[in-house]
Amino acid sequence: GGAVSVLVVDNTTTAKIAGTADAWGNVVVRSADDTDVTIVDGAGGFGLGGAGVSVGVMSVTKTTEAYVANTPGNHAIVHARGNAAGASALAGTLSGGDAGNGFDSTTAQGLVVEASSHGKAFHLNVAAGAGFIGLAGGITVSVMNADTHAYIDNADVNWTGNGGSDGQQAVFVNAADEARIA
């Protein structure tokens, strides 16, 4: 008996401002990708000479971006005055301390540019051979490649037109990536 499985995932998640945003309250540019993959491969061979061979390949490639940037001929301008209830943003700390099983959040007023990526994969490969002569073999390849970016590039943020802005007005730029393969 034999089995071959191949899973290829290629995700791109993007949130951006490439023009003008003018808000009395908050401006939030947020991109998030959550990937959860479970694969079970198996093969069995039974008889006088039973052989089982199983090959499982998983490749996950993810790009998650949030940004404010200009485009050719279009200069990005953001006015985020922060005169509203705060928006949720990553705090820059891990929940669970050094265990790193998640990210803490806070409340922010003004501009939030945030990209987050969470990936979890479970890959089990089983091969069985039974008989007078039983042979079994399995090959498992699991790869997860994640690029997570949050940035402001060549843009005017709260540079002009800030009359009436809240005193708590701020700019938060956060990128967080968490990946586990079991």
Side-chain angles (χ1 to χ4, degrees), residues 17-23 27 68-69 74-79 156:
I17 292 178
T20 301
D22 193 342
V27 175
V68 176
N74 191 10
H75 190 73
I77 300 171
V78 176
H79 298 183
D156 292 340

Side-chain angles (χ1 to χ4, degrees), residues 27-171:
V27 175
V28 178
V29 183
R30 180 175 290 134
S31 178
D33 181 285
D34 291 319
T35 303
D36 190 351
V37 178
T38 299
I39 300 175
V40 177
D41 308 306
F46 307 95
L48 181 61
V53 177
S54 179
V55 176
V57 178
M58 177 193 70
S59 174
V60 177
T61 302
K62 302 170 16 153
T63 301
T64 308
E65 292 184 312
Y67 60 90
V68 176
N70 68 327
T71 59
N74 191 10
H75 190 73
I77 300 171
V78 176
H79 298 183
R81 293 178 184 85
N83 291 305
S88 176
L90 293 174
T93 56
L94 297 173
S95 63
D98 290 338
N101 55 3
F103 305 104
D104 290 325
S105 62
T106 189
T107 302
Q109 289 176 255
L111 173 63
V112 176
V113 180
E114 186 171 279
S116 64
S117 175
H118 301 272
K120 183 171 75 169
F122 175 78
H123 194 172
L124 176 64
N125 193 347
V126 179
F132 183 69
I133 300 174
L135 299 172
I139 297 173
T140 305
V141 178
S142 300
V143 177
M144 185 176 291
N145 180 18
D147 291 321
T148 306
H149 308 279
Y151 60 92
I152 298 173
D153 183 25
N154 198 14
D156 292 340
V157 177
N158 298 334
W159 186 256
T160 61
N162 277 317
S165 293
D166 188 273
Q168 298 299 312
Q169 174 195 47
V171 176

